[in-house]
Amino acid sequence: MSGEVAIRRFPTLTVSTPRVHVRPLLAVDAKPVSAIFADKQTQRWLPFQRELGQIDGEAWCTEMAQERRDSGSGDHYGVIRREDEQLVGCLWTKRTDWGGRVTEVSYAIAPEARGFGMAAEAVDALAVALILEHGFQRLELRVAPGNTASRRVAEKAGFTYEGLLRNAGYVHSGRVDLEVWSLVAADLQH
């Protein structure tokens, strides 16, 4: 080898539960993805600086997803409600450490789909697939204190609260602490 670092490609996967499919995003998903990211409640907690403006749904579903896959850092997924085949959420993985087999999962759910447990179901399905089928050892969620809905998703998806990272992130309103939640391979062996 000539000193090059081999880039691992994030696994292409599709998982299903009784109520949702989780699959890679497609260009045709751009409109509902844009609507999810434009929602005021979603924007309040997004880890993107306000100055960047609105997330372009088409770019998120195509070139941004492709760039994340090609770099090995993660992927972008759609949460599809099975009863009507509507895209009702987005999941994305990022900050993947291939040596440690660790990745971080984030999510955003459409307003009309909140409160029904679909986010937790989708996060759990993705986490189980990444651990059992793709050899990941640890998945993390990072939640801004005050984001109680996101904390409930972490709890319902089986993640364990580990602690607080002080001044470790940002949301539209500025710098925030971040709660760290994790699911590790050993959690699935009971």
Side-chain angles (χ1 to χ4, degrees), residues 5 20 42 73 78 100 102 112 149 168 189:
V5 176
V20 299
T42 299
S73 66
V102 176
E112 68 275 8
Q189 298 173 355

PDB file of all heavy atoms in Angstrom, residues 5 20 42 73 78 100 102 112 149 168 189:
ATOM      1  N   VAL A   5      -5.262   5.792   2.883  1.00  0.00           N
ATOM      2  CA  VAL A   5      -6.230   5.287   3.849  1.00  0.00           C
ATOM      3  C   VAL A   5      -7.446   4.804   3.068  1.00  0.00           C
ATOM      4  O   VAL A   5      -8.007   5.555   2.265  1.00  0.00           O
ATOM      5  CB  VAL A   5      -6.649   6.396   4.855  1.00  0.00           C
ATOM      6  CG1 VAL A   5      -7.731   5.893   5.783  1.00  0.00           C
ATOM      7  CG2 VAL A   5      -5.443   6.878   5.633  1.00  0.00           C
ATOM      8  N   VAL A  20     -43.119   1.084   9.724  1.00  0.00           N
ATOM      9  CA  VAL A  20     -42.261   1.941   8.898  1.00  0.00           C
ATOM     10  C   VAL A  20     -41.233   1.143   8.098  1.00  0.00           C
ATOM     11  O   VAL A  20     -40.844   0.049   8.498  1.00  0.00           O
ATOM     12  CB  VAL A  20     -41.517   3.016   9.730  1.00  0.00           C
ATOM     13  CG1 VAL A  20     -42.483   3.943  10.436  1.00  0.00           C
ATOM     14  CG2 VAL A  20     -40.524   2.412  10.692  1.00  0.00           C
ATOM     15  N   THR A  42     -38.859  21.599  14.199  1.00  0.00           N
ATOM     16  CA  THR A  42     -37.660  20.871  13.752  1.00  0.00           C
ATOM     17  C   THR A  42     -36.476  21.825  13.719  1.00  0.00           C
ATOM     18  O   THR A  42     -35.399  21.504  14.235  1.00  0.00           O
ATOM     19  CB  THR A  42     -37.890  20.259  12.357  1.00  0.00           C
ATOM     20  OG1 THR A  42     -38.984  19.332  12.433  1.00  0.00           O
ATOM     21  CG2 THR A  42     -36.656  19.542  11.845  1.00  0.00           C
ATOM     22  N   SER A  73     -18.587   8.683   5.960  1.00  0.00           N
ATOM     23  CA  SER A  73     -18.978   9.244   7.255  1.00  0.00           C
ATOM     24  C   SER A  73     -20.410   8.926   7.669  1.00  0.00           C
ATOM     25  O   SER A  73     -20.762   9.088   8.831  1.00  0.00           O
ATOM     26  CB  SER A  73     -18.763  10.755   7.274  1.00  0.00           C
ATOM     27  OG  SER A  73     -19.635  11.387   6.369  1.00  0.00           O
ATOM     28  N   GLY A  78     -34.786   7.860   4.612  1.00  0.00           N
ATOM     29  CA  GLY A  78     -36.166   8.296   4.756  1.00  0.00           C
ATOM     30  C   GLY A  78     -36.911   7.312   5.631  1.00  0.00           C
ATOM     31  O   GLY A  78     -36.645   6.109   5.601  1.00  0.00           O
ATOM     32  N   GLY A 100     -13.349   2.181  15.344  1.00  0.00           N
ATOM     33  CA  GLY A 100     -14.107   1.855  16.550  1.00  0.00           C
ATOM     34  C   GLY A 100     -15.489   1.277  16.262  1.00  0.00           C
ATOM     35  O   GLY A 100     -16.178   0.845  17.174  1.00  0.00           O
ATOM     36  N   VAL A 102     -18.233   2.921  15.315  1.00  0.00           N
ATOM     37  CA  VAL A 102     -19.145   3.815  16.028  1.00  0.00           C
ATOM     38  C   VAL A 102     -19.717   4.812  15.021  1.00  0.00           C
ATOM     39  O   VAL A 102     -19.005   5.293  14.143  1.00  0.00           O
ATOM     40  CB  VAL A 102     -18.387   4.608  17.131  1.00  0.00           C
ATOM     41  CG1 VAL A 102     -19.300   5.615  17.816  1.00  0.00           C
ATOM     42  CG2 VAL A 102     -17.754   3.663  18.133  1.00  0.00           C
ATOM     43  N   GLU A 112     -47.039  15.979  11.489  1.00  0.00           N
ATOM     44  CA  GLU A 112     -48.227  15.126  11.541  1.00  0.00           C
ATOM     45  C   GLU A 112     -47.924  13.693  11.981  1.00  0.00           C
ATOM     46  O   GLU A 112     -48.837  12.937  12.310  1.00  0.00           O
ATOM     47  CB  GLU A 112     -48.943  15.115  10.183  1.00  0.00           C
ATOM     48  CG  GLU A 112     -48.193  14.430   9.070  1.00  0.00           C
ATOM     49  CD  GLU A 112     -47.174  15.297   8.328  1.00  0.00           C
ATOM     50  OE1 GLU A 112     -46.914  16.448   8.761  1.00  0.00           O
ATOM     51  OE2 GLU A 112     -46.628  14.815   7.329  1.00  0.00           O
ATOM     52  N   ALA A 149     -38.869  15.668  23.399  1.00  0.00           N
ATOM     53  CA  ALA A 149     -39.345  14.693  22.410  1.00  0.00           C
ATOM     54  C   ALA A 149     -38.192  13.822  21.928  1.00  0.00           C
ATOM     55  O   ALA A 149     -38.329  12.596  21.812  1.00  0.00           O
ATOM     56  CB  ALA A 149     -40.016  15.400  21.245  1.00  0.00           C
ATOM     57  N   ALA A 168     -21.010  21.505  23.763  1.00  0.00           N
ATOM     58  CA  ALA A 168     -20.484  20.647  22.703  1.00  0.00           C
ATOM     59  C   ALA A 168     -21.197  20.776  21.367  1.00  0.00           C
ATOM     60  O   ALA A 168     -20.799  20.159  20.394  1.00  0.00           O
ATOM     61  CB  ALA A 168     -20.534  19.191  23.156  1.00  0.00           C
ATOM     62  N   GLN A 189     -27.749  -8.307  23.488  1.00  0.00           N
ATOM     63  CA  GLN A 189     -27.465  -9.703  23.803  1.00  0.00           C
ATOM     64  C   GLN A 189     -28.152 -10.188  25.069  1.00  0.00           C
ATOM     65  O   GLN A 189     -27.634 -11.026  25.775  1.00  0.00           O
ATOM     66  CB  GLN A 189     -25.960  -9.908  23.912  1.00  0.00           C
ATOM     67  CG  GLN A 189     -25.266  -9.619  22.609  1.00  0.00           C
ATOM     68  CD  GLN A 189     -23.752  -9.662  22.734  1.00  0.00           C
ATOM     69  OE1 GLN A 189     -23.209  -9.812  23.810  1.00  0.00           O
ATOM     70  NE2 GLN A 189     -23.084  -9.537  21.610  1.00  0.00           N
TER      71      GLN A 189
END
